[in-house]
Amino acid sequence: MKLYDYYRSSASYRVRIALHLKGLSYETVPISLIDGEHQGDDYRHTNPNQRVPSLENEHGPLGQSLAIIEYLDEIYPVPKLLPNNPWQKASVAHSQCLLLAIFIH
């Protein structure tokens, strides 16, 4: 598994937290937002939206931190990060994003 990220990106940070909580090993591919690497042709093939993070595995790349976390929680269910109930899952995901944004800023 490869995680394309930028070390100062809060969205990338969310995914790194999820990967570590689940005990998953991954390769980090740093994408410099300052140097504009996310806007280059090479990265555009990985993520057409040209944003970080992106997680790439045998199925291909996946963008958007919450989608990545939800995918990881479905494929690697232990430990469970999100509730099974769709309403509770959406509420928790939203709350986690807000809390992380508050602590980072």
Side-chain angles (χ1 to χ4, degrees):
M1 219 175 336
K2 289 183 186 179
L3 177 65
Y4 296 82
D5 77 350
Y6 180 62
Y7 74 102
R8 293 177 63 189
S9 160
S10 61
S12 294
Y13 192 62
R14 278 192 291 271
V15 174
R16 288 193 305 268
I17 290 170
L19 287 163
H20 286 286
L21 286 173
K22 290 197 168 282
L24 299 173
S25 42
Y26 62 96
E27 175 188 345
T28 300
V29 180
I31 301 294
S32 174
L33 301 182
I34 292 175
D35 294 336
E37 290 178 6
H38 62 297
Q39 296 173 333
D41 289 335
D42 289 340
Y43 188 61
R44 185 177 293 125
H45 294 293
T46 301
N47 187 337
N49 292 326
Q50 298 175 293
R51 302 197 190 294
V52 293
S54 293
L55 184 74
E56 187 174 53
N57 64 13
E58 68 275 6
H59 302 291
L62 181 62
Q64 298 294 329
S65 63
L66 295 180
I68 293 169
I69 292 169
E70 192 169 338
Y71 169 78
L72 291 172
D73 216 31
E74 293 290 330
I75 299 302
Y76 306 99
V78 177
K80 196 75 173 148
L81 301 178
L82 299 169
N84 289 326
N85 177 286
W87 179 259
Q88 292 173 342
K89 185 183 295 187
S91 297
V92 167
H94 178 73
S95 298
Q96 287 174 348
C97 289
L98 287 176
L99 283 174
L100 185 57
I102 289 167
F103 287 124
I104 288 175
H105 296 289

